[in-house]
Amino acid sequence: MNRQIYLDANAWCPPLPQAKEAILKALDIVGNPSSPHRFGRQARAMMDASRLQCAEVTGFSEQEVYFTSGVSESSRWVIDALDNLGRSLNRRLTVVTSALEHPSMRKRLAQATELDIYFISISKSGVLELPDALSQADALLLSGAHNETGLIWPWEAILSKVKPDCIVYMDAAQSFSRISLPLERVDALSLSGQKIGGIAGAGLLNLRNNALKLQPPWPGPGQEKGVRPGTEPFVAIHALAAAISQIHSTRTAYQHIEGIKDQVEAHLSGLFDDLDILLQEQQRLPNTTAITFPSVDGSALRMKLDRLGLAVGFGSACSGLAPEPSPGLLALGLTEQEAQSTVRISLPPTLSEADFNEICHRFDQL
Amino acid sequence: MNRQIYLDANAWCPPLPQAKEAILKALDIVGNPSSPHRFGRQARAMMDASRLQCAEVTGFSEQEVYFTSGVSESSRWVIDALDNLGRSLNRRLTVVTSALEHPSMRKRLAQATELDIYFISISKSGVLELPDALSQADALLLSGAHNETGLIWPWEAILSKVKPDCIVYMDAAQSFSRISLPLERVDALSLSGQKIGGIAGAGLLNLRNNALKLQPPWPGPGQEKGVRPGTEPFVAIHALAAAISQIHSTRTAYQHIEGIKDQVEAHLSGLFDDLDILLQEQQRLPNTTAITFPSVDGSALRMKLDRLGLAVGFGSACSGLAPEPSPGLLALGLTEQEAQSTVRISLPPTLSEADFNEICHRFDQL
């Protein structure tokens, strides 16, 4: 059987050695960071150090950094809080998002009762449409980049249209470890440990400026200054902090991988006349490409790639087991069949030239 | 400076060696359990194995076990879902709980909009009062045992009053690792990894029978069959499963510690005429005792114990930094001053006879 080649970094990345070290160290911490005694104070001091690292790297202050279980929870927090804000103001809020958002954002927004939702859209040929409502938006909820195609949203252009008091929330799950982001105008920022070299179970929700209008929607004990109840997942938190402190070298590694991505795309374009590299002309993440094979049946494509030992993604990983076509790809204007026959290749930063040759060799057999 | 003695096991317990091993192994897993390729299938197989272990030990089936971030999230899930159920049935639901519940239950319940809430109460002299509403309750939400006094609720007596279709939810955070629990009639069960020898960041929400009336209140991607969105915190999940598989030896260790707890109580009773061991005549957890020192000022008591190197709890750890008296203790009928002067001693299972002698020696200097 072929050695499996892992090409699904947007679903999962290996923890960094620094994160593993931090985990081992965290396992020796005695005490709950909320306890009033000396053990508690030591555990708290380590939490404060991790919070400071996260603050420095994201450009927020320590007081603006809160730990959650990850982006799914952080996005729910923001949307719950917006729904509550609309209710307390007794008016419907105008919210702008995109049709390409992760299900953690999209599905919670679909159940919001106090929000009028407008969509930024982009077609597969790259035509961006901003809704008129953007200039009146109470909140903008958008990812840094699309997890399937790697599209980097034109944040500067979008932000130039919003009101000064618009609450700007960025889900940076897929983008933070790969590119430098324009965070100055961002009021609320979320990311997940496992996407930046830590482990699943801890993430950030940073809140400042306009986001201070939002009230914590989850009542409970007083951890994280009342913003997020529940014993802090401190092993995963320390892994997150250790990983975020390596962000510059992680981003550099992803920049280097862009050349391999371009070569893979060129090789595949040479093999198949009719394939479509989605949003190829747009700014995209250096490691991500979504490729439609219109003449190949989706489920046959999955099986073939699996047999060839190429571990790629179909849709976002969280929904990877679902047989439905990706809503994000349909929103780009793909047919159901095209969406089913689209592969997400997301290269891990550790990939080598030798791996590249092997990948090409296997695709040759498709 | 004195060596610190850790007497706050209800706030935090050290992870078991088996959990640490499981963590190291989990750090080598490649892939996201929701991914459709071979790496994903391997990660999923490990999740299935951990789920099976949790099912076997709790007496639920694999299909009834869901992983969350811990009891705070699980309790919120249940109460959110009850609120939604009331809304969809267009009638107010009758919910019975106690005034001694953890803030993650108590504070979320206080914000419920569709629930009529009734309280089981117990006085500091041990008189239990069950509300008349118990026999009509749509749901019973109760801990296995009270985290501060160690009171084990008389579950059999309470359950004998409920309707067959009452949804019975047990927060077993403090009780599961210490005693055998009557789970046959429990429809929903929660526990947290860090309370049973795993690490913070993963917990259980088991759902069956009457709890199947509850709809998942958190929309998002499809992990955990749609019950709990977000990438599974699998490192903490595998630690939880490794810890739960040791539950019989953990419970045995706690049973052995009961003798030391009795000796500590006897020693302190000999030292102070007026101290009050709360609910001493009731069934209590083997490791937990809450002791009121009425003649000592609360903040002076904290400082003295800290100086003596005795790391004890005040209130639940999650609120340990708050200067307010514990609501649970006030509900027992203590005055604010008595509540402030109450210490929670919760012995870790690793405590030795030598530690006991040292503890007594230090209390002698109080």
Side-chain angles (χ1 to χ4, degrees):
Chain A
M1 186 187 292
N2 273 327
R3 175 177 71 89
Q4 294 283 310
I5 302 183
Y6 188 75
L7 302 175
D8 198 12
N10 290 13
W12 176 90
C13 290
L16 293 173
Q18 291 86 351
K20 290 190 181 183
E21 268 172 52
I23 288 168
L24 296 182
K25 211 171 143 195
L27 288 174
D28 288 331
I29 299 172
V30 174
N32 181 319
S34 297
S35 288
H37 43 64
R38 225 165 286 176
F39 296 102
R41 285 197 293 278
Q42 281 164 6
R44 204 150 59 245
M46 282 198 58
M47 285 278 293
D48 291 343
S50 285
R51 196 183 307 278
L52 181 61
Q53 275 181 304
C54 293
E56 284 177 352
V57 175
T58 55
F60 283 66
S61 80
E62 280 174 85
Q63 290 73 34
E64 296 164 343
V65 172
Y66 301 97
F67 294 111
T68 68
S69 68
V71 168
S72 286
E73 184 185 306
S74 297
S75 290
R76 181 193 191 190
W77 192 105
V78 169
I79 301 168
D80 281 357
L82 280 169
D83 237 356
N84 290 344
L85 181 64
R87 207 170 286 119
S88 74
L89 294 176
N90 206 17
R91 71 172 176 89
R92 297 185 67 74
L93 301 186
T94 298
V95 170
V96 172
T97 184
S98 91
L100 273 60
E101 296 311 301
H102 189 266
S104 56
M105 185 112 90
R106 184 167 41 79
K107 292 198 178 175
R108 173 63 190 87
L109 268 176
Q111 293 198 1
T113 57
E114 316 297 320
L115 310 179
D116 289 326
I117 301 173
Y118 300 87
F119 293 91
I120 295 170
S121 70
I122 188 165
S123 69
K124 67 182 212 177
S125 55
V127 179
L128 181 79
E129 282 188 57
L130 302 180
D132 292 340
L134 183 58
S135 62
Q136 294 308 315
D138 295 296
L140 169 68
L141 313 181
L142 196 65
S143 53
H146 178 218
N147 77 80
E148 292 175 86
T149 58
L151 171 76
I152 299 170
W153 288 107
W155 270 83
E156 308 273 9
I158 294 167
L159 285 177
S160 71
K161 311 276 188 200
V162 304
K163 290 188 298 178
D165 63 349
C166 174
I167 299 170
V168 175
Y169 169 60
M170 182 192 287
D171 157 5
Q174 292 294 352
S175 49
F176 195 82
S177 70
R178 287 153 191 157
I179 54 170
S180 164
L181 293 160
L183 297 180
E184 297 71 22
R185 178 62 183 83
V186 170
D187 301 305
L189 172 75
S190 72
L191 54 85
S192 288
Q194 76 274 17
K195 304 286 191 195
I196 64 163
I199 59 171
L204 290 186
L205 175 62
N206 291 4
L207 300 170
R208 68 181 171 195
N209 302 339
N210 295 336
L212 303 180
K213 286 183 270 185
L214 301 174
Q215 294 300 312
W218 182 0
Q223 290 98 343
E224 296 291 307
K225 288 179 265 167
V227 165
R228 199 274 180 176
T231 301
E232 303 86 342
F234 38 85
V235 171
I237 285 172
H238 296 318
L240 162 65
I244 212 170
S245 72
Q246 302 299 314
I247 205 71
H248 296 297
S249 69
T250 303
R251 286 180 185 164
T252 303
Y254 274 115
Q255 278 159 23
H256 286 143
I257 223 72
E258 184 150 34
I260 296 187
K261 185 195 73 178
D262 293 343
Q263 287 173 284
V264 169
E265 290 179 345
H267 186 83
L268 285 170
S269 298
L271 287 177
F272 299 88
D273 280 347
D274 60 346
L275 63 69
D276 192 6
I277 297 170
L278 296 174
L279 303 178
Q280 190 174 15
E281 302 305 315
Q282 308 301 309
Q283 291 272 331
R284 290 179 300 153
L285 294 175
N287 76 317
T288 309
T289 181
I291 305 178
T292 308
F293 296 80
S295 54
V296 190
D297 170 70
S299 55
L301 186 63
R302 284 176 194 233
M303 275 192 289
K304 272 190 194 164
L305 289 169
D306 199 42
R307 215 154 39 215
L308 289 170
L310 293 169
V312 301
F314 290 88
S316 79
C318 304
S319 321
L321 299 176
E324 292 85 31
S326 153
L329 298 181
L330 298 181
L332 285 175
L334 274 67
T335 64
E336 293 211 357
Q337 197 193 320
E338 285 167 342
Q340 298 273 25
S341 298
T342 300
V343 168
R344 176 181 76 180
I345 298 174
S346 55
L347 307 176
T350 46
L351 211 72
S352 67
E353 276 293 325
D355 290 322
F356 161 68
N357 290 327
E358 181 62 25
I359 294 165
C360 291
H361 173 68
R362 296 195 188 177
F363 270 116
D364 290 346
Q365 301 164 53
L366 194 64
Chain B
M1 190 187 288
N2 272 328
R3 175 176 70 90
Q4 294 283 311
I5 302 182
Y6 188 76
L7 302 174
D8 199 11
N10 289 12
W12 175 90
C13 289
L16 293 172
Q18 291 85 350
K20 289 188 182 186
E21 266 171 53
I23 288 168
L24 295 183
K25 210 170 142 197
L27 288 175
D28 288 331
I29 300 170
V30 173
N32 182 320
S34 298
S35 288
H37 44 63
R38 224 166 284 178
F39 295 102
R41 285 197 294 276
Q42 282 165 7
R44 205 151 59 245
M46 283 199 57
M47 286 276 296
D48 291 344
S50 285
R51 198 183 306 277
L52 181 62
Q53 274 182 304
C54 293
E56 284 176 352
V57 175
T58 55
F60 283 65
S61 80
E62 281 173 86
Q63 290 72 32
E64 296 165 341
V65 172
Y66 302 96
F67 294 111
T68 68
S69 68
V71 169
S72 286
E73 184 185 305
S74 297
S75 290
R76 183 195 189 188
W77 193 104
V78 170
I79 302 168
D80 280 358
L82 280 169
D83 236 358
N84 290 344
L85 181 64
R87 206 170 288 121
S88 74
L89 295 175
N90 206 16
R91 70 173 176 88
R92 297 185 68 74
L93 301 185
T94 298
V95 171
V96 172
T97 183
S98 92
L100 272 61
E101 295 310 300
H102 189 266
S104 55
M105 184 112 90
R106 184 167 41 78
K107 292 198 178 175
R108 173 63 188 86
L109 268 176
Q111 293 196 1
T113 57
E114 317 296 320
L115 311 178
D116 290 326
I117 301 171
Y118 300 88
F119 292 92
I120 296 170
S121 69
I122 187 164
S123 69
K124 67 184 215 177
S125 55
V127 179
L128 180 79
E129 283 188 58
L130 302 181
D132 293 339
L134 183 57
S135 62
Q136 293 309 313
D138 296 294
L140 169 69
L141 312 182
L142 196 65
S143 53
H146 178 217
N147 76 81
E148 291 176 86
T149 60
L151 171 76
I152 299 170
W153 289 107
W155 269 83
E156 310 272 9
I158 294 168
L159 286 177
S160 71
K161 311 277 187 198
V162 304
K163 291 187 299 180
D165 63 349
C166 174
I167 299 170
V168 175
Y169 168 61
M170 182 193 286
D171 158 6
Q174 291 295 352
S175 50
F176 195 83
S177 70
R178 286 151 192 159
I179 54 170
S180 163
L181 293 161
L183 296 181
E184 296 72 21
R185 177 61 183 85
V186 170
D187 301 303
L189 172 75
S190 72
L191 54 85
S192 289
Q194 76 273 17
K195 305 285 190 195
I196 66 164
I199 58 170
L204 290 186
L205 175 63
N206 291 4
L207 300 170
R208 68 181 171 196
N209 303 339
N210 295 337
L212 303 180
K213 287 183 269 185
L214 301 174
Q215 293 301 311
W218 181 359
Q223 291 99 343
E224 297 291 309
K225 289 179 263 168
V227 166
R228 198 273 183 179
T231 302
E232 303 87 342
F234 38 83
V235 171
I237 285 171
H238 297 317
L240 162 64
I244 212 169
S245 72
Q246 303 299 313
I247 205 70
H248 297 297
S249 70
T250 302
R251 286 180 184 163
T252 304
Y254 274 116
Q255 278 160 23
H256 286 144
I257 224 72
E258 184 149 34
I260 297 188
K261 184 195 74 176
D262 293 343
Q263 287 173 288
V264 169
E265 289 180 345
H267 185 83
L268 284 170
S269 298
L271 287 177
F272 299 88
D273 281 347
D274 60 348
L275 64 71
D276 192 6
I277 297 170
L278 297 175
L279 303 178
Q280 190 173 17
E281 302 308 315
Q282 308 302 309
Q283 291 272 334
R284 289 179 299 153
L285 294 176
N287 76 317
T288 309
T289 179
I291 304 177
T292 308
F293 297 81
S295 55
V296 188
D297 169 69
S299 55
L301 185 63
R302 281 175 195 234
M303 275 193 290
K304 271 188 193 165
L305 290 168
D306 199 42
R307 215 152 41 214
L308 289 169
L310 294 168
V312 301
F314 290 88
S316 78
C318 305
S319 323
L321 301 174
E324 292 84 32
S326 152
L329 298 180
L330 298 180
L332 285 174
L334 274 68
T335 64
E336 292 212 356
Q337 197 191 321
E338 286 168 342
Q340 297 273 25
S341 298
T342 299
V343 169
R344 177 182 75 179
I345 297 174
S346 55
L347 305 177
T350 47
L351 212 72
S352 68
E353 277 292 327
D355 290 323
F356 162 68
N357 290 327
E358 181 62 26
I359 294 166
C360 293
H361 173 68
R362 294 194 190 180
F363 270 118
D364 291 345
Q365 300 163 54
L366 192 65

